[in-house]
Amino acid sequence: MSRLVFITGASSGIGQALAMRFYSAGYRLALAARRTAEVQAWAEANSLSAGRYQVYSADVADTDSIVAAGQACIAAQGVPDVVIANAGISIGMDTAVRSDLDVMAQTFATNNIGVAATFHPFIGGMVTRGTGTLVGIGSVAGIRGLPGHGAYCASKAAVIAYCESLRGELHPSGVKVVTICPGYIDTPLTRENCYPMPFLMKAEAFADKAFGAIHAGHSYRVIPWQMGVVAKLLRLLPNALFDKALSGRARKHRQGER
């Protein structure tokens, strides 16, 4: 039986690009999303073989929902070889606005608890088997905070730290944990941004690079590499210079703003 990949957030953007890249490599697909009709339509439009994919309805912000989807995947298709916790949201916030605290809670529920809940159903089976790869999708935005982007930046910093912790825990078992940090990728999510996005990359090109990094077993990879260099430089930049460089930068739009 061919290898199996489980991907969340498969209804658009990076999730779909990753699904197509793995499918092209011969993998069977387990695709989890809230908008299952869109996933199904995409699969049919791309002539995916019905026997090589299955769609699961799940909301990663609802722990029981995504855990149930993972369990359904195991029952129907087996324990995956690769699990990619890709689903995420990006909404600007203003801490002075009360309703934006709820936005932050929603972001953490999706981007953080959702990652752990995605991995949860599969860890036992992978450890018993002695193989498997868990992939957390972080972001360059998790390396330094950006104005108006506190919820997203904090959540992605947490993804990076969480995956690092999990990697140490699972290392003796043979199960790998890979952290992929995208830079600016051309998706419906980033097209709403109102500020410059250096080294903007097509989703398909990102998926190809991510596929290579996952199969090579890299523990951490920033894609594209140019953003990796920028991220390292920003991390080394003294706070005073960093703050000055971002002074006047457009904020990430808040919920309901355009």
Side-chain angles (χ1 to χ4, degrees):
M1 187 176 294
S2 61
R3 292 171 293 182
L4 174 66
V5 59
F6 182 93
I7 304 174
T8 62
S11 60
S12 65
I14 286 175
Q16 283 189 354
L18 286 167
M20 182 55 73
R21 181 63 183 85
F22 275 84
Y23 182 85
S24 299
Y27 276 75
R28 292 175 295 130
L29 305 179
L31 306 175
R34 291 176 299 166
R35 299 172 293 176
T36 55
E38 293 187 20
V39 179
Q40 188 66 44
W42 168 82
E44 293 173 1
N46 285 277
S47 301
L48 269 60
S49 172
R52 285 185 54 196
Y53 76 92
Q54 194 149 331
V55 181
Y56 301 91
S57 176
D59 180 352
V60 301
D62 180 337
T63 297
D64 290 339
S65 172
I66 186 60
V67 168
Q71 292 169 339
C73 169
I74 293 171
Q77 296 176 281
V79 176
D81 299 275
V82 180
V83 174
I84 304 178
N86 164 72
I89 59 175
S90 174
I91 308 170
M93 68 168 292
D94 183 341
T95 306
V97 177
R98 169 62 185 86
S99 61
D100 281 8
L101 300 182
D102 298 327
V103 168
M104 191 171 198
Q106 178 189 6
T107 301
F108 285 4
T110 301
N111 295 3
N112 301 121
I113 305 302
V115 171
T118 297
F119 291 161
H120 164 76
F122 305 112
I123 290 177
M126 285 184 169
V127 169
T128 298
R129 189 177 60 197
T131 62
T133 302
L134 303 172
V135 183
I137 302 298
S139 172
V140 170
I143 296 172
R144 293 215 72 158
L146 302 172
H149 225 351
Y152 184 74
C153 291
S155 74
K156 290 303 185 179
V159 168
I160 294 168
Y162 165 72
C163 287
E164 188 170 49
S165 297
L166 189 63
R167 187 173 75 242
E169 294 168 18
L170 294 178
H171 179 72
S173 73
V175 178
K176 297 177 180 178
V177 179
V178 176
T179 307
I180 301 291
C181 290
Y184 293 112
I185 311 301
D186 184 15
T187 68
L189 198 68
T190 57
R191 287 170 200 151
E192 298 179 351
N193 291 341
C194 57
Y195 44 78
M197 294 182 286
F199 310 115
L200 184 67
M201 192 177 201
K202 292 291 185 183
E204 294 76 15
F206 165 82
D208 188 57
K209 296 293 185 183
F211 180 86
I214 292 165
H215 271 262
H218 293 300
S219 58
Y220 177 88
R221 178 59 59 91
V222 177
I223 302 172
W225 66 266
Q226 294 95 330
M227 284 304 297
V229 174
V230 171
K232 287 184 178 180
L233 292 175
L234 288 177
R235 186 69 269 172
L236 294 172
L237 202 63
N239 286 345
L241 292 178
F242 179 76
D243 294 346
K244 184 175 181 180
L246 292 187
S247 178
R249 183 182 190 270
R251 295 169 58 94
K252 174 72 176 182
H253 67 267
R254 295 173 54 247
Q255 199 164 45
E257 293 180 344
R258 286 295 181 272

